[in-house]
Amino acid sequence: MAVRAMNSCTIFRAAASPPLAAVRSCLHQFRIAKQRKYSKLGFSFSVLPSSIRNVGSIRSFSVQSLVDTVLLELETMRKSSKVRAANKLATSGELLQHKLEKTTLKKGLLIEFKKDSERVLLAVTQKPDGKKNWMVFDQNGFTISIKPQQITFIVPGIKDFDHTEIAEFVQRAETNLDPTLLEFAWIELLEKNKSITVQELAEMMFGSAEPLESYCAHLLLSKDHIYFTVLETKGSFSVYGPRPAIQVEELLQKKLAKEAAEKEFQDFVHLLKSAKEKPLHSKPPKSSWRNEEKIWHRIESLQAYAIDDCRNDEQKKTAGTILKSMGLAKTASAALNLLIDIGYFPVHVNVDVLKYNIRTDYSSDVLSAAESLLSESSDQDKKDRADLTHLKVYAIDVDEADELDDALSATRLQDGRIKVWIHVADPTSLVLPGSVLDKEAMRRGTSVFLPTATYPMFPEKLAMEGMSLKQGEVCNAVTVSVVLSSDGSIAEYSVENSIIKPTYMLTYESASELLHLNLEEEVELRILSEAARLRLHWRRQQGSIDTATIETRIKVANPDDPEPSIKLYVENQADPAMRLVSEMMILCGEVMATYGSRNNIPLPYRGQPQSNIDTSAFAHLPEGPVRSFAIVKIMRAAEMDFRKPIRHGVLGLPGYVQFTSPIRRYMDLLAHYQVKAFLRGDNPPFSSGQLEGIASMVNMTTRVARRLSGSSLRYWILEYLRRQPKDKRFSALVLRFIKDRTAAILLVEVGLQASAWVSVGVNVGDEVEVKLEESHPRNDILSLKEVLR
């Protein structure tokens, strides 16, 4: 009687010569590529004890005699009537034809069919459904119609199968599967170069071709990707052949490699889950994820996925597989949150810094060049510098400024006119066009100022020690001096190399306080403020447009902490000290445009034609942010020319050149290169065409930096709002209506534009009160609600 062998390796066949299942139950370590060669195939197996004691009804055999006995038994079985094929199997085509003649679909057959791309089910045929389809009752208890093409196997030897027994049949089949039996069958079939059908394989492995054994053989073959290949298929029937030994060896190696890779991947997933569950202070440091190359490769793929910067499909696939294994959606936000949860990124990581590929450090070559400049301290313009150290010099900037580009002096001439000096730091006394440091500055385009960090255009030490203006120290500068007419226009001007000795380093707040105190000993500061008022009045007469509004600055201490300290500053650009500085910078820009034009110097001249703007149309709006916002909405984009000045309508100037921030802005540095060369009597280093080419590259990086600064500022304002008490109310100005009663508003306390529904009767320019509904900085969500009075 032929009986099956179970995974428990108990022998069920009570026969003199065992089937392969019985052999397998005794030879637990019978494997390919072991110690002793097997026949002509060149394979060897583990050497077992010289005899195998009785198991069930199987006698003791030596390894060699047992194998020989198995082979002899199989050969005998081939010749017996139990096996449908003769000694030499018929061709696969003949065999399939033979099978097809005996397997017409009819009611009561147990079939396997493909439900979809991933699922295969058993079912019992019920009745035809049309000309070709069949109604079947599947193992899940559903009656459905299937196409003949969906059928993958018809279990042989079954008539009128009871569909209620499908589940038990499946369970018994799964219990009976032992993939190692295929190894033994493959060895013999390869030795004899024979093909085989499912039923023949069942007979060979289990000693029976009964329905359950045949289905088990089918399952083993359908799941096998190593030992057998399909020679021919017709409908749901196939003939299989053993793969060549070399191919099997290659496939086994690939399988082992795949299993090792899967284990390694699961270990990585376990590592992620472990790190995710740890408290914040116990999470592994960021550097630890770089210790192993494969781990770093996966983390790098996650990071690229999080910032939408995957270099290839492999990175996308890797990140997607990780997210799926962690039970997460395949989205950039899910990847980012995972990296935060494992401690790789801080809670408030600025992904835009990574996304925009912002340069946050310097190469060793750049740092070395900076150190060399500091140690040499050469100045090719030393002999030509005017000594202005006798002047009282005010440097006014924000309190956290890392380097100072500009400073101011003023006096009243005997004829009552005002003379001002705008002193600008002179980095070109150190850095030459085309040098390592110049190229690095060009690539950066600008210093990047964020609430959490500053990424300077020049290395910090060089900028602070070699270029920046410093209080109480003699500093190199380029000084623009201007004598103003009584109406605020330029009466006289000069441009020269100089040395100065800054007297005061003031913040805008302290400068405003000094102006308010009106101290007699600070008469120069009062004169500067008077000059600024004259200039503002003159520019307005020339058609300038006042776009002053409120401006927000944020400084974040310890940004890597989950709850870092946030300091928020809201500054009114119409503040006296801010007006003073901005008017003097604008004045310097006008002088440099005039100077460049009169001396035919190619410069980055800036303009903004606004001839069609009728400011009187906005007179009904309150002066300040509301009016400025309305005007800015219709302003045209700025323009540049590199040969001659162009009108800057917004500033009310015939020409304008940015010149006062050469340490922070590369376009200002370019203007310095050009002007300094002219002062020395040399030709400018760049033609107008070259300037235009450089400007196109620099302006792109500058726009990126501006977007980054804006998004970072908004993030931290939202984080600031998130921390505010739920019942706190905020004052808001209505700037315009977007749709129906949804208005664009300006939160005055934080300087943020947002939107909110406002009640009927509220108009543009009105002030309303709103309260915070929700604020999610990471998702850029801010919801506000009007507080009805």
Side-chain angles (χ1 to χ4, degrees):
M1 179 180 71
V3 188
R4 299 178 307 280
M6 312 296 283
N7 277 350
S8 60
C9 296
T10 304
I11 301 302
F12 289 139
R13 190 176 185 231
S17 298
L20 290 182
V23 177
R24 172 65 184 89
S25 68
C26 297
L27 301 178
H28 291 287
Q29 298 179 359
F30 195 73
R31 288 292 184 270
I32 301 171
K34 296 293 181 181
Q35 298 173 5
R36 187 164 54 79
K37 293 288 182 179
Y38 176 75
S39 188
K40 304 173 184 177
L41 300 179
F43 288 88
S44 57
F45 305 94
S46 298
V47 177
L48 298 178
S50 59
S51 64
I52 301 175
R53 286 172 169 73
N54 289 334
V55 181
S57 60
I58 300 180
R59 301 186 306 274
S60 296
F61 295 94
S62 68
V63 173
Q64 186 61 51
S65 63
L66 180 57
V67 173
D68 291 341
T69 302
V70 170
L71 295 177
L72 287 172
E73 171 69 9
L74 290 170
E75 186 64 24
T76 303
M77 291 167 63
R78 298 297 181 276
K79 296 177 180 179
S80 70
S81 58
K82 295 181 181 178
V83 183
R84 293 190 175 96
N87 282 340
K88 193 168 185 179
L89 288 173
T91 64
S92 58
E94 294 171 349
L95 182 60
L96 283 170
Q97 186 61 40
H98 174 68
K99 298 287 184 184
L100 284 171
E101 291 173 356
K102 299 182 179 181
T103 53
T104 304
L105 281 178
K106 56 186 177 181
K107 182 180 179 181
L109 295 182
L110 181 62
I111 65 169
E112 181 190 79
F113 72 98
K114 202 165 189 178
K115 176 72 174 176
D116 51 43
S117 60
E118 297 182 356
R119 291 184 297 168
V120 174
L121 302 176
L122 283 182
V124 177
T125 53
Q126 299 296 306
K127 61 180 179 179
D129 181 29
K131 292 184 178 180
K132 295 183 179 181
N133 297 352
W134 270 79
M135 298 299 296
V136 300
F137 197 94
D138 69 23
Q139 66 188 68
N140 293 327
F142 295 102
T143 300
I144 59 173
S145 176
I146 65 170
K147 299 177 181 179
Q149 304 94 287
Q150 292 178 255
I151 299 174
T152 53
F153 187 66
I154 298 177
V155 180
I158 286 182
K159 296 180 180 179
D160 300 323
F161 193 86
D162 186 351
H163 63 79
T164 62
E165 297 179 1
I166 295 179
E168 181 186 355
F169 185 86
V170 170
Q171 184 178 2
R172 290 169 63 196
E174 291 292 340
T175 305
N176 211 22
L177 296 182
D178 187 351
T180 55
L181 294 177
L182 285 176
E183 298 177 42
F184 293 95
W186 169 75
I187 292 170
E188 184 198 353
L189 293 170
L190 183 64
E191 172 78 5
K192 297 188 176 182
N193 193 26
K194 285 191 175 183
S195 58
I196 199 167
T197 64
V198 169
Q199 288 169 274
E200 290 167 347
L201 184 62
E203 186 75 44
M204 182 179 185
M205 292 191 299
F206 303 111
S208 169
E210 295 298 315
L212 183 61
E213 284 76 4
S214 294
Y215 185 59
C216 288
H218 162 71
L219 287 178
L220 288 171
L221 285 169
S222 62
K223 295 177 181 179
D224 169 56
H225 302 290
I226 304 293
Y227 299 103
F228 290 89
T229 184
V230 177
L231 297 178
E232 189 171 348
T233 297
K234 214 168 197 181
S236 59
F237 297 93
S238 301
V239 172
Y240 299 85
R243 295 182 189 270
I246 294 176
Q247 188 179 9
V248 167
E249 185 175 1
E250 291 175 353
L251 291 172
L252 282 171
Q253 291 298 326
K254 289 180 180 179
K255 180 183 178 184
L256 291 173
K258 182 179 179 182
E259 289 172 351
E262 287 176 352
K263 182 182 182 304
E264 183 184 49
F265 180 77
Q266 290 306 317
D267 290 344
F268 172 74
V269 171
H270 176 74
L271 185 66
L272 292 180
K273 291 180 178 178
S274 175
K276 188 176 179 181
E277 292 170 359
K278 290 181 179 179
L280 186 64
H281 65 274
S282 300
K283 293 185 184 294
K286 183 175 182 178
S287 59
S288 66
W289 297 99
R290 294 175 176 262
N291 292 340
E292 295 185 27
E293 184 179 349
K294 290 184 178 179
I295 290 178
W296 169 237
H297 169 72
R298 294 185 177 112
I299 292 294
E300 195 177 28
S301 296
L302 272 177
Q303 177 176 306
Y305 200 86
I307 63 174
D308 296 321
D309 190 37
C310 289
R311 294 189 298 271
N312 48 53
D313 290 339
E314 182 188 356
Q315 279 195 327
K316 287 183 181 179
K317 183 178 178 182
T318 299
T321 304
I322 294 169
L323 292 171
K324 183 178 179 181
S325 298
M326 293 294 292
L328 302 172
K330 293 181 181 180
T331 62
S333 61
L336 175 62
N337 289 332
L338 176 58
L339 290 170
I340 292 173
D341 289 341
I342 66 174
Y344 179 79
F345 279 153
V347 173
H348 298 288
V349 60
N350 191 336
V351 292
D352 286 342
V353 172
L354 301 170
K355 188 179 293 186
Y356 295 142
N357 197 26
I358 299 299
R359 294 170 176 265
T360 59
D361 50 20
Y362 295 88
S363 68
S364 58
D365 289 345
V366 172
L367 293 175
S368 177
E371 287 291 340
S372 296
L373 286 182
L374 287 172
S375 61
E376 293 168 4
S377 299
S378 61
D379 177 17
Q380 58 182 326
D381 302 310
K382 186 175 182 179
K383 294 181 180 180
D384 299 322
R385 293 191 182 277
D387 187 348
L388 302 179
T389 55
H390 62 283
L391 294 175
K392 183 182 282 189
V393 177
Y394 297 89
I396 306 172
D397 210 327
V398 294
D399 57 357
E400 71 276 1
D402 295 319
E403 71 276 338
L404 293 171
D405 289 279
D406 51 74
L408 303 170
S409 301
T411 190
R412 193 178 299 277
L413 301 177
Q414 290 184 349
D415 60 6
R417 294 184 301 174
I418 294 174
K419 182 175 183 178
V420 298
W421 290 263
I422 301 111
H423 312 288
V424 183
D426 188 9
T428 59
S429 65
L430 298 173
V431 179
L432 299 178
S435 65
V436 171
L437 287 162
D438 171 67
K439 290 178 180 178
E440 179 67 17
M442 184 192 299
R443 283 190 287 267
R444 292 172 179 259
T446 181
S447 293
V448 180
F449 299 97
L450 305 179
T452 53
T454 297
Y455 304 115
M457 188 171 75
F458 288 109
E460 184 176 4
K461 187 177 180 181
L462 176 64
M464 293 291 291
E465 297 181 14
M467 299 177 175
S468 177
L469 303 178
K470 295 178 283 295
Q471 184 177 3
E473 296 184 23
V474 175
C475 307
N476 290 339
V478 178
T479 296
V480 175
S481 60
V482 185
V483 176
L484 295 178
S485 300
S486 58
D487 64 352
S489 62
I490 299 172
E492 304 171 19
Y493 72 86
S494 68
V495 180
E496 59 187 343
N497 294 308
S498 66
I499 55 172
I500 62 171
K501 192 175 183 179
T503 313
Y504 295 117
M505 296 295 188
L506 301 175
T507 64
Y508 287 112
E509 292 82 1
S510 58
S512 292
E513 186 176 348
L514 284 175
L515 287 170
H516 178 71
L517 293 173
N518 197 25
L519 299 176
E520 189 64 33
E521 56 268 30
E522 300 303 335
V523 62
E524 294 86 354
L525 190 62
R526 292 207 316 268
I527 294 173
L528 280 169
S529 181
E530 182 182 342
R533 288 194 298 271
L534 282 174
R535 286 292 300 169
L536 178 60
H537 177 75
W538 180 82
R539 289 194 305 108
R540 285 176 173 172
Q541 295 296 316
Q542 308 307 308
S544 70
I545 300 172
D546 189 3
T547 58
T549 183
I550 59 176
E551 190 175 78
T552 306
R553 289 187 298 110
I554 282 185
K555 293 305 292 183
V556 180
N558 304 316
D560 288 349
D561 291 349
E563 293 286 328
S565 171
I566 302 175
K567 291 184 178 180
L568 184 142
Y569 309 88
V570 179
E571 298 160 340
N572 189 339
Q573 292 176 337
D575 173 84
M578 297 196 81
R579 280 284 196 192
L580 186 159
V581 173
S582 65
E583 285 300 330
M584 294 303 101
M585 300 304 105
I586 293 170
L587 174 60
C588 180
E590 182 186 359
V591 170
M592 296 314 303
T594 305
Y595 185 76
S597 175
R598 290 183 178 178
N599 295 290
N600 296 316
I601 305 173
L603 290 171
Y605 298 100
R606 292 179 177 271
Q608 198 164 22
Q610 303 296 338
S611 56
N612 296 328
I613 294 181
D614 180 11
T615 55
S616 62
F618 303 95
H620 67 286
L621 297 175
E623 190 175 358
V626 175
R627 186 183 297 179
S628 295
F629 179 83
I631 294 173
V632 168
K633 288 290 291 182
I634 63 171
M635 283 169 51
R636 292 167 59 185
E639 299 175 357
M640 293 190 76
D641 195 295
F642 302 92
R643 296 166 181 81
K644 62 182 185 304
I646 53 177
R647 176 170 171 75
H648 202 301
V650 173
L651 297 180
L653 302 178
Y656 180 68
V657 173
Q658 285 186 333
F659 194 77
T660 58
S661 295
I663 306 177
R664 307 179 188 186
R665 296 189 302 236
Y666 190 78
M667 294 306 295
D668 293 44
L669 187 70
L670 275 180
H672 274 244
Y673 284 144
Q674 300 291 88
V675 170
K676 290 292 295 293
F678 181 81
L679 289 174
R680 288 192 295 268
D682 297 335
N683 291 325
F686 302 104
S687 67
S688 57
Q690 288 173 319
L691 286 178
E692 186 172 2
I694 295 170
S696 65
M697 294 185 294
V698 171
N699 287 338
M700 283 194 295
T701 57
T702 302
R703 283 193 292 270
V704 169
R706 194 179 297 121
R707 283 199 301 269
L708 174 61
S709 297
S711 64
S712 301
L713 180 64
R714 180 176 174 83
Y715 176 94
W716 285 105
I717 293 176
L718 293 186
E719 175 62 16
Y720 175 85
L721 291 172
R722 185 186 68 82
R723 300 185 189 184
Q724 302 307 302
K726 291 295 182 183
D727 58 348
K728 183 174 180 178
R729 299 183 177 190
F730 297 89
S731 176
L733 289 172
V734 177
L735 300 176
R736 67 184 178 92
F737 284 97
I738 302 170
K739 184 179 181 182
D740 299 329
R741 301 307 300 173
T742 301
I745 61 174
L746 176 67
L747 296 177
V748 178
E749 288 100 326
V750 296
L752 178 70
Q753 289 187 24
S755 62
W757 184 92
V758 295
S759 55
V760 176
V762 174
N763 299 310
V764 173
D766 289 350
E767 186 173 320
V768 297
E769 274 193 340
V770 296
K771 67 177 182 178
L772 183 69
E773 293 281 289
E774 63 174 330
S775 178
H776 295 295
R778 182 64 64 194
N779 299 323
D780 193 23
I781 294 175
L782 177 64
S783 178
L784 301 166
K785 185 177 181 180
E786 181 188 11
V787 178
L788 300 177
R789 300 171 183 174

